[in-house]
Amino acid sequence: MISAPLRLRLDGDALVHNWRWLKGMGGSAACGAAVKADGYGLGAREVVMRLAAAGCRDFFVATWAEAEALMPLGEALSLSVLHGVRAADMAVAVAHPARPVLNSREQVLRWREAAGARPCDVMVDTGMNRLGVSPDEVRDGLLDGLAIETLMSHLACGDEDHPMNPLQRDRLQALAGRTSARRMSLANSAGICLGRDYAFDLTRPGLALYGGVPRAEAAEHIRQVVFPEAEVLQVRTVKAGETVGYNATWRAERDTRVAILNIGYADGYARAFSNAGTAERGRFPLIGRVSMDLVAVDVSTGDCGESGWIEIDYNLPEVSAAGVSAYEALTRLDGRFTRYWR
Ligand SMILES: *Cc1c(COP(=O)(O)O)cnc(C)c1O
């Protein structure tokens, strides 16, 4: 096996801790997990296994390819495909253990015709204008005859205090009892923090499971899960007055010990961290530009040698303060990382 100079340490205890906190916030509602985009970059299969062991039963992916990658799914687990069924999905979907989340009149008709009595979920658009059938279509009977497991909607502004939040909640609530749905669901990570009246029967956190802090209320409860670590390829002394990296954006004020690390923007480490990121919990500032596959850090304050490993600071609230969305920061970390859980 070829040894990779870049790895992602994943904290399984922190993942489960975050799920338990989110579940508690939802009161008696069940708490699921969004594992689309390969578990926000952590590896969906590992995330599902760990959360299922903690008691999580309901999982959400975006596409049938993502659903297929999770097969075989444990007996007691439920998997929903958020993008529903395109015509091209039908052959797979009608025979699949996962359920589609039907999003449009076209999808509803397609499903009813081909799979009638098989269980499905339905997304109602309560104001985001992304995916979903309208509340009027629901009232007019569009969903009659479907075996709906979960009737859901999605908040547009859950991470803000915005009048859309209570409006969307009330629009969903108004559909209670109007369909065959066994459960209703609205809240993502941010929505869970808005209070129990947003939890309905089932919540669907993603970001906060993986260490993102969607609202200030969650800040002291959510633990970091993802820790990128890069190998030191070289250590050098940069003489006072010399510069480091492309475009010479950093200049040494004094002789400086500098480590060159195996991570760059092609790995998903944003270029916005140029002269701004840090490593080893703030001890080593990043100096100069982020290159495609390399960065430089000032290691004057610590001992650091070639072939050592350095933890890149990736606390998501700090990352988003630096101007990189926590969602992007997670999902862009790519396949060059070797993942390991501890
Ligand atoms: C991605 C997604 C979620 C999870 O959202 P987070 O903000 O990551 O918690 C929940 N519901 C739907 C429909 C989604 O697309």
Side-chain angles (χ1 to χ4, degrees):
M1 171 111 171
I2 295 171
S3 118
L6 187 59
R7 62 194 189 195
L8 214 47
R9 177 165 68 82
L10 300 164
D11 185 336
D13 291 341
L15 174 76
V16 168
H17 162 93
N18 293 342
W19 181 76
R20 292 212 169 104
W21 183 75
L22 291 157
K23 177 167 170 39
M25 286 294 286
S28 59
C31 183
V35 295
K36 59 198 184 191
D38 202 15
Y40 287 48
L42 284 72
R45 185 166 269 293
E46 282 282 335
V47 169
V48 168
M49 204 184 74
R50 280 155 200 279
L51 292 181
C56 183
R57 291 290 167 263
D58 300 276
F59 296 92
F60 301 86
V61 291
T63 66
W64 291 94
E66 290 182 349
E68 192 54 33
L70 287 173
M71 295 300 123
L73 197 68
E75 273 291 304
L77 303 186
S78 144
L79 182 62
S80 300
V81 179
L82 290 164
H83 292 187
V85 277
R86 302 168 304 153
D89 296 322
M90 286 304 292
V92 169
V94 293
H96 208 278
R99 292 190 305 278
V101 180
L102 305 177
N103 282 301
S104 64
R105 167 177 289 274
E106 291 71 20
Q107 290 198 357
V108 168
L109 300 180
R110 188 177 289 140
W111 185 255
R112 188 188 286 129
E113 173 152 328
R118 282 180 65 86
C120 61
D121 297 337
V122 175
M123 174 69 72
V124 184
D125 177 24
T126 52
M128 187 173 185
N129 281 302
R130 195 174 64 171
L131 294 176
V133 301
S134 74
D136 280 344
E137 286 175 311
V138 176
R139 284 193 198 88
D140 291 347
L142 175 66
L143 308 181
D144 291 358
L146 292 178
I148 304 175
E149 170 63 28
T150 307
L151 185 70
M152 66 180 82
S153 192
H154 192 56
L155 294 166
C157 310
D159 55 355
E160 302 171 57
D161 291 324
H162 196 288
M164 284 275 283
N165 294 331
L167 184 72
Q168 289 193 268
R169 177 197 60 198
D170 295 348
R171 284 178 176 165
L172 182 64
Q173 183 61 50
L175 298 176
R178 294 266 185 166
T179 70
S180 63
R182 288 186 50 240
R183 303 192 287 184
M184 297 177 86
S185 173
L186 175 63
N188 63 345
S189 302
I192 290 169
C193 302
L194 292 175
R196 299 228 170 142
D197 48 335
Y198 286 80
F200 289 83
D201 306 306
L202 167 66
T203 59
R204 312 185 306 266
L207 183 73
L209 294 170
Y210 311 115
V213 173
R215 291 181 59 95
E217 291 91 328
E220 58 180 311
H221 303 287
I222 295 298
R223 282 168 51 185
Q224 184 173 348
V225 179
V226 176
F227 299 83
E229 297 172 337
E231 196 170 331
V232 178
L233 298 181
Q234 191 175 107
V235 182
R236 59 171 60 234
T237 299
V238 177
K239 290 250 182 321
E242 292 190 354
T243 64
V244 170
Y246 279 122
N247 306 103
T249 61
W250 184 87
R251 187 178 297 274
E253 287 175 6
R254 62 189 77 81
D255 290 1
T256 306
R257 290 290 285 168
V258 171
I260 310 301
L261 311 184
N262 187 98
I263 186 171
Y265 60 79
D267 304 301
Y269 187 67
R271 227 164 152 264
F273 293 118
S274 297
N275 286 305
T278 56
E280 294 292 330
R281 323 230 157 179
R283 224 156 34 108
F284 299 158
L286 213 117
I287 58 179
R289 292 255 156 99
V290 175
S291 296
M292 188 182 292
D293 324 286
L294 298 167
V295 298
V297 290
D298 175 347
V299 293
S300 309
T301 59
D303 56 345
C304 168
E306 192 184 311
S307 310
W309 287 86
I310 288 201
E311 184 183 306
I312 307 293
D313 294 339
Y314 219 63
N315 174 283
L316 291 175
E318 287 168 14
V319 161
S320 25
V324 180
S325 125
Y327 291 91
E328 289 185 52
L330 280 177
T331 54
R332 66 196 299 171
L333 298 178
D334 79 340
R336 278 165 137 187
F337 286 86
T338 301
R339 299 175 185 136
Y340 75 104
W341 292 80
R342 58 113 251 195

